[in-house]
Amino acid sequence: MIKVLKAGLETSIQDYPGRIGYWNQGFPPSGPMDSWSFRLANVLVGNQPGAAGLECQFMGPTLSFDADAVVAVTGADMRPALDGEPFPMWQSVAVRAGQTLALGAARVGGRAYIAVAGAFANEERLGSRSTFNKAGVGGIDGHSIKTGQELPVAEGGGTPGLLVPNEHRPDIRTDRSWTVEVCAGPNDDWIDEAGRKRFLNSPWTLSAKSDRTGFRLQGPEWTFTEKAYNKPKEHGSLPSNIIDQGYPMGAINLAGQTPIILVNDGPSMGGFINPYTVPSAAFWKLGQAKPGEHLHFRLVSVAEAQHLAKEIAERCVRENLVNA
């Protein structure tokens, strides 16, 4: 067991790729937002890349270990410390029984990941250990971890002293500006040419009114094609309204004039258009972006998005690790 001395800000157990196959019943995949950093944390401690680990949002937890363990911390720099001494990130570290690992506020990036050899062993719900807070599913008692709880960990080996080289890590930005890939569709034909150019050539600010359901963006107004106005009444009155349809993961959902990127815990359907979609290979950037930072969108093909996802998966393997 690992005891939670401080919970941090919405620290949750997640696994990858999450809860697959239940979205038509209202259960999104959940899982880690930055699956690149998450998978590398698991690989470092000898787990399968998708094994259950902790996602720490903006402010990390303080954990006490009751047994020896091999631990890795990746993703955002939350200045981790083991018994008050700096804990090296992006490498596997031996932790002794009785020691305390503490993470603070994120200095660079937005979300850090903690993996423990053997992985967390909370009960599976609908085929996943991932936490879906809004429905009270997965995690510990259906929610993010809480101070005073004990987190079960399965037995595992793990080798301390392994390191992820810089070339295999995500480039977590320090300049508050992100270039995020998008694919056109499914409703890009509702936006006129001027609106498409404005979207792709403008900086968008990530709003503080964002969470694992949706990332709300602030920026210029959208303009629409004739079909957004000349449509049957059942499509709704606003040009961004459409008859209820299924939403893809990563859809940029246009609610009036406000674009909201539907992320890991987002809805599966609704009555707004989705002119663009952020592919899974770019989700790690959303996971590391903080409110107030700027997103610039780059149009890519589906084939390019699939290639990017394949490249990331190829980086998250044991063979790419080196000795620290």
Side-chain angles (χ1 to χ4, degrees), residues 11-323:
T11 303
S12 61
I13 295 177
Q14 303 292 343
D15 58 13
Y16 177 80
R19 190 165 286 107
I20 302 300
Y22 297 93
W23 221 8
N24 64 332
Q25 299 172 43
F27 296 97
S30 299
M33 292 204 61
D34 175 2
S35 68
W36 188 347
S37 296
F38 179 88
R39 284 178 279 178
L40 284 174
N42 270 315
V43 169
L44 277 166
V45 299
N47 297 340
Q48 290 298 310
L54 288 178
E55 177 176 85
C56 315
Q57 176 181 270
F58 303 143
M59 174 72 73
T62 299
L63 308 173
S64 176
F65 291 76
D66 72 352
D68 293 352
V70 176
V71 181
V73 179
T74 62
D77 181 5
M78 294 186 176
R79 292 167 287 183
L82 186 65
D83 287 347
E85 295 297 321
F87 182 100
M89 293 187 61
W90 301 100
Q91 73 179 66
S92 56
V93 178
V95 175
R96 298 189 305 275
Q99 289 194 295
T100 298
L101 175 65
L103 277 67
R107 182 170 53 181
V108 176
R111 288 169 177 81
Y113 296 91
I114 302 174
V116 181
F120 291 96
N122 58 309
E123 187 177 356
E124 285 192 1
R125 295 289 185 182
L126 301 177
S128 172
R129 304 184 198 277
S130 284
T131 306
F132 178 30
N133 270 315
K134 292 191 176 181
V137 174
I140 302 294
D141 298 328
H143 298 286
S144 299
I145 67 173
K146 294 179 172 59
T147 299
Q149 285 181 330
E150 292 186 334
L151 311 180
V153 178
E155 289 189 15
T159 302
L162 297 177
L163 174 73
V164 180
N166 288 333
E167 61 266 25
H168 293 301
R169 305 177 192 176
D171 179 19
I172 298 177
R173 307 294 298 175
T174 59
D175 59 3
R176 298 175 55 84
S177 182
W178 300 84
T179 298
V180 178
E181 291 78 12
V182 291
C183 296
N187 308 122
D188 54 306
D189 56 341
W190 288 57
I191 304 299
D192 65 16
E193 184 63 24
R196 290 194 289 268
K197 287 181 178 178
R198 195 175 300 115
F199 171 71
L200 293 170
N201 295 324
S202 300
W204 294 85
T205 303
L206 180 59
S207 168
K209 295 180 180 180
S210 300
D211 60 17
R212 283 176 50 93
T213 298
F215 273 30
R216 189 178 297 262
L217 305 178
Q218 298 167 337
E221 290 201 348
W222 297 72
T223 49
F224 303 87
T225 57
E226 175 63 23
K227 72 181 298 180
Y229 299 97
N230 185 17
K231 59 186 177 180
K233 290 183 178 180
E234 59 265 27
H235 281 282
S237 58
L238 295 174
S240 62
N241 288 152
I242 193 171
I243 195 166
D244 279 9
Q245 59 173 348
Y247 290 155
M249 183 83 152
I252 298 182
N253 191 238
L254 193 52
Q257 283 288 347
T258 302
I260 303 171
I261 308 174
L262 303 181
V263 289
N264 298 55
D265 292 347
S268 59
M269 66 176 296
F272 293 113
I273 64 170
N274 305 288
Y276 295 91
T277 299
V278 178
S280 62
F283 261 55
W284 71 267
K285 300 177 183 181
L286 303 179
Q288 295 302 346
K290 293 179 183 175
E293 296 186 346
H294 296 122
L295 307 184
H296 304 260
F297 294 101
R298 181 174 76 89
L299 186 64
V300 298
S301 66
V302 171
E304 185 176 351
Q306 291 172 333
H307 179 71
L308 290 170
K310 183 173 182 287
E311 280 190 332
I312 291 173
E314 289 172 348
R315 295 176 188 273
C316 299
V317 295
R318 173 68 171 77
E319 290 73 18
N320 290 331
L321 305 181
V322 299
N323 292 321

